[in-house]
Each structure stands twice: as structure tokens, then as C-alpha cells.
Amino acid sequence: MRRFFSILMLISIFSCKQSEQPQKNAASTGIDTTSVDQKIKMPSQTIRLLPAASAYTSDWLGFVTAQEEIRNFENYSIKDVTSNAKPIVEIMKSMQESVPDTLKSKPVQARLTVLYTKAKVLEQLAARPEYKSKKIAEVAASIPSEFNNLKIQINELFLKTLEDFDNELDEFEARADSINNAIPNKYTTPKQRFQAKQDSLDNNQ
């Protein structure tokens, strides 16, 4: 009886090892089960350019083309970005090489370099017959995120200008208040006070 149980135990252990073997083989070969029809994951938020920044980027053909391509990512599957990998590289390269002088800064150029590099990695992955869909999906998803970062850096170029404008406006308003308080009480009507303030401002210029 004891021998019978020993045989059963050995059969059970052997069966377990046999069932574990396919799992180990799958793990060792790195089988990618990601479907090529899976959609590219987009950022939860899209950065908007400031009006002042948009005035410059609207004439930057490289940026406009790249922005349209990023919008296409919303409908792209892994298969789509794989087939469009080379055009994406060309678009990012064109944007990098055509940046206007007004927008040239180290942070902006750094973001342009990152976008071009990401596109090249995507192209290299897509060119391999044994490419991994999961890896392509990860790299593709990072491109819209990096484009958001580029727009943040472009906005940064104009934030300082807006702060300077706000400071100048505050100074002007303080000056106007000072003049307003100095206007004699003899100017009783709003029209008289406005004219007196205007005359005072003109004399101080």
C-alpha cells in the first residue's frame, strides 16, 4: 500500500513539472501577446499654446504638420504607427530643422531632439521582423506626451513677456491712481476729472 502511494506521488509531481514547462518556455522566449490592432494610449490632457505662442507656431509649417500627425495618433493602432514610422521620423526631423529663430532656445531644442529620437526608435522597432507590439505601443504613446512637453517649453518663452506686461500695467495703474488723488476737488463732474487726468498724464510723459 505504501508503495502504491509513493507511485501516485511521483506521477503527481511529474505532471506538475510537465504543466509548468510550457509556462517557463513562454516566459523565456518573451512571447508578446499584444494585439497589433490595439489603439495607442494618448495623454489624459492636451497642452494648449498661449495666444502669443500660437501666433508664432501658426506660421511654422514643421510644427503644424507635426501637430496634425499627433492628432492622428488618437485613431492609430499599433499596426498604423508601425506602417507610418518612417513618415513620422521625417515629420519630426523637418520640425527640428525648421524651428524659427524666435522660438530657438535650449529647452525647446532639447524637446525637439527627444521627439526626433523617439521617432527613430519607433522606426527601428518597426523595421525588425521580430518586433514587439508592446514595446512599439510604449514608444508610440510617449511621442504625444513629448509633444505636450514641447508646447510647455514654447509657452515658457512667452510667460516672462506676460509677467513683464502685468508689471507695467500695475505701474501704470498705480501712477494713474496717484494722479487721480492729486486732482483738485474743483473738477466735480466725471468728464472734468477724466480730462484733468489725461492732461496730467500728457504733461508727465
Side-chain angles (χ1 to χ4, degrees):
M1 180 66 83
R2 184 176 296 174
R3 185 177 179 184
F4 175 73
F5 281 117
S6 297
I7 293 172
L8 283 179
M9 183 73 72
L10 287 171
I11 292 173
S12 176
I13 293 171
F14 180 76
S15 298
C16 289
K17 287 186 176 181
Q18 286 291 93
S19 63
E20 289 175 0
Q21 195 64 34
Q23 295 178 3
K24 288 182 178 179
N25 289 339
S28 62
T29 55
I31 294 175
D32 187 354
T33 58
T34 307
S35 171
V36 293
D37 294 321
Q38 177 179 304
K39 293 293 185 182
I40 300 303
K41 186 178 180 182
M42 297 293 290
S44 58
Q45 184 180 8
T46 299
I47 301 299
R48 292 183 178 275
L49 288 175
L50 295 170
S54 294
Y56 286 91
T57 58
S58 60
D59 294 328
W60 180 10
L61 183 59
F63 180 88
V64 173
T65 305
Q67 185 164 247
E68 286 300 318
E69 184 61 24
I70 294 300
R71 285 173 182 159
N72 290 336
F73 271 58
E74 295 177 4
N75 300 314
Y76 275 172
S77 64
I78 296 174
K79 186 194 300 182
D80 293 327
V81 293
T82 300
S83 60
N84 286 291
K86 188 171 183 179
I88 291 171
V89 170
E90 293 172 354
I91 289 170
M92 297 306 166
K93 183 179 181 181
S94 175
M95 180 170 62
Q96 184 184 35
E97 293 177 345
S98 63
V99 56
D101 291 339
T102 311
L103 302 178
K104 277 185 179 178
S105 70
K106 287 184 179 179
V108 168
Q109 290 179 312
R111 290 301 172 186
L112 289 170
T113 300
V114 170
L115 275 166
Y116 176 67
T117 303
K118 294 279 186 181
K120 286 296 291 183
V121 172
L122 180 65
E123 182 186 37
Q124 291 168 4
L125 288 171
R128 296 176 183 174
E130 73 282 6
Y131 70 83
K132 307 293 184 182
S133 294
K134 184 178 180 181
K135 184 63 178 176
I136 286 180
E138 290 173 355
V139 175
S142 70
I143 292 176
S145 296
E146 289 299 338
F147 194 75
N148 268 346
N149 290 334
L150 170 63
K151 288 194 284 187
I152 289 173
Q153 292 302 330
I154 293 175
N155 278 340
E156 287 287 338
L157 297 177
F158 296 89
L159 284 175
K160 185 176 181 180
T161 303
L162 290 174
E163 288 175 2
D164 292 342
F165 175 76
D166 286 340
N167 291 335
E168 289 176 4
L169 184 61
D170 289 341
E171 289 177 8
F172 177 80
E173 289 177 347
R175 186 175 157 200
D177 288 340
S178 176
I179 292 172
N180 188 50
N181 293 332
I183 294 174
N185 291 330
K186 65 179 181 178
Y187 302 111
T188 55
T189 67
K191 184 176 180 180
Q192 288 176 328
R193 295 185 68 81
F194 175 80
Q195 187 60 49
K197 183 193 296 186
Q198 190 64 43
D199 293 341
S200 181
L201 284 172
D202 291 340
N203 292 333
N204 284 314
Q205 286 182 349

